[in-house]
Amino acid sequence: MRYDLNLFPVFLMLMEERSVTRAAERLGMTQPALSNTLNRLRDTFQDPLFIRERYGIKPTPLAEEMAPGIEVALAQLDELVLNQQTFQPENAERLFTLAPNSYVELVLMPALIAKTRVQAPNIRFRMTAFGNDIAETGAISGTTAMVLGRIVSLPDNFIVQHLMDDGLACVVRKDHPGIGNSISREQYEKLKHVNVLPPGKMRAGLFHALEKQNLRRDVAVSVTHFLAVPEMLAVTDYCATLPWLICKSLERDPRLKILPAPVDLGTFPVQMGWHVRYRLDPAHRWLRSTIQQLAAEMMQGR
């Protein structure tokens, strides 16, 4: 029997998204083109595969049964082909979809882009958000090359590598009337605070660190991204507790000053994870090595 291998990545994306519209967007296809591919899949397997529901599509029992085998087969095929390839970054043309959390996107991604612009000028990157759920990034199906941040729920088909551990420090405005070159526990607890609520698990880590040290924090305002914090602090007498590497980047802002936290708030891990299908991919291995090297260089600068 002859069949088109290009059908199977579409099948896996439909399994992941449970929506023709979202699957088409993720694959860079039009909805009519994806619907045509779905019809070909149905003809191939003589089964509807996906049933339309009010808020999307639902896989049939046959689709549910086939999905793990198709995923494994595609991963094995990828390895077979990629093992025969060599990777030369200076000549390579490739698009990597990465899913960094907001911390990694601010701290690590600019350094990655700067380095690859020189080493691999034809490599392109697309960023997609990484919040609480790895499945939402496309990494479980392998359409997203890598997730970066705090990975707490590890799928069976996923590999995770530790990159670094970052700590926490405090930021206030340069001419803060009540804070000099250090901040005491009493001062910290009396101040109003700007709190960052990024998608993901890092906020829980900070809350737990404060609770462990029995350190209270009077939160006056919560924001959704680290980039909002400097503007909040520059016009108030508030304080923010941020990852050290973000604080280091804020040292260039003449309106702000960085201070050690009044107590040891510990560290939090930063990780990268990828689908097993990329384990032996030469380009992906190069990318992982580059990111690991950048993380090590950042930690040496602490």
Side-chain angles (χ1 to χ4, degrees), residues 6 30 41 43 79 110 117 125 130 135 140 152 157 201 214-215 217 231 235 249 264 269 278 285:
N6 293 319
T30 64
L41 277 163
D43 289 341
E79 287 195 8
R117 182 178 64 86
F125 294 95
F130 171 36
I140 293 178
V152 294
N157 60 355
K201 301 294 184 180
N214 195 27
L215 189 63
R217 187 174 56 149
E231 304 309 316
V235 296
S249 71
D264 183 6
Y278 293 117
R285 291 169 66 179

Side-chain angles (χ1 to χ4, degrees), residues 54-71:
R54 183 176 181 183
Y55 296 109
I57 54 176
K58 178 182 179 181
T60 65
L62 179 62
E64 294 276 14
E65 181 182 348
M66 292 192 309
I70 290 175
E71 186 173 353

Side-chain angles (χ1 to χ4, degrees), residues 4-186:
D4 185 355
L5 284 173
N6 293 319
L7 299 176
F8 299 116
V10 174
F11 170 80
L12 292 178
M13 183 60 73
L14 288 167
M15 286 293 298
E16 183 174 322
E17 288 293 342
R18 309 296 170 97
S19 163
V20 171
T21 301
R22 291 195 300 271
E25 290 175 353
R26 290 274 300 281
L27 291 167
M29 301 173 64
T30 64
Q31 285 194 49
L34 191 140
S35 296
N36 180 59
T37 302
L38 177 55
N39 288 333
R40 293 169 61 198
L41 277 163
R42 287 167 169 162
D43 289 341
T44 300
F45 290 103
Q46 296 296 297
D47 186 86
L49 296 179
F50 298 95
I51 306 300
R52 187 176 298 278
E53 293 189 322
R54 183 176 181 183
Y55 296 109
I57 54 176
K58 178 182 179 181
T60 65
L62 179 62
E64 294 276 14
E65 181 182 348
M66 292 192 309
I70 290 175
E71 186 173 353
V72 170
L74 285 181
Q76 291 174 340
L77 185 59
D78 282 346
E79 287 195 8
L80 181 64
V81 174
L82 292 169
N83 281 344
Q84 306 304 314
Q85 297 179 347
T86 59
F87 179 71
Q88 297 177 317
E90 64 275 15
N91 300 321
E93 295 186 12
R94 183 157 172 176
L95 171 65
F96 283 108
T97 299
L98 306 180
N101 65 11
S102 56
Y103 162 82
V104 174
E105 189 169 17
L106 183 58
V107 167
L108 195 55
M109 291 299 100
L112 174 64
I113 302 306
K115 188 160 191 172
T116 56
R117 182 178 64 86
V118 176
Q119 292 186 352
N122 295 319
I123 295 290
R124 296 175 295 123
F125 294 95
R126 174 182 176 270
M127 307 297 170
T128 187
F130 171 36
N132 289 322
D133 191 352
I134 290 178
E136 294 178 354
T137 67
I140 293 178
S141 67
T143 55
T144 292
M146 188 183 300
V147 295
L148 297 115
R150 182 77 179 272
I151 303 171
V152 294
S153 299
L154 184 62
D156 293 338
N157 60 355
F158 223 61
I159 300 172
V160 172
Q161 181 176 335
H162 181 268
L163 279 177
M164 60 187 182
D165 294 292
D166 199 0
L168 296 160
C170 296
V171 189
V172 297
R173 66 184 176 96
K174 194 82 168 182
D175 55 351
H176 195 290
I179 304 298
N181 295 324
S182 63
I183 183 170
S184 68
R185 173 189 283 266
E186 182 180 6

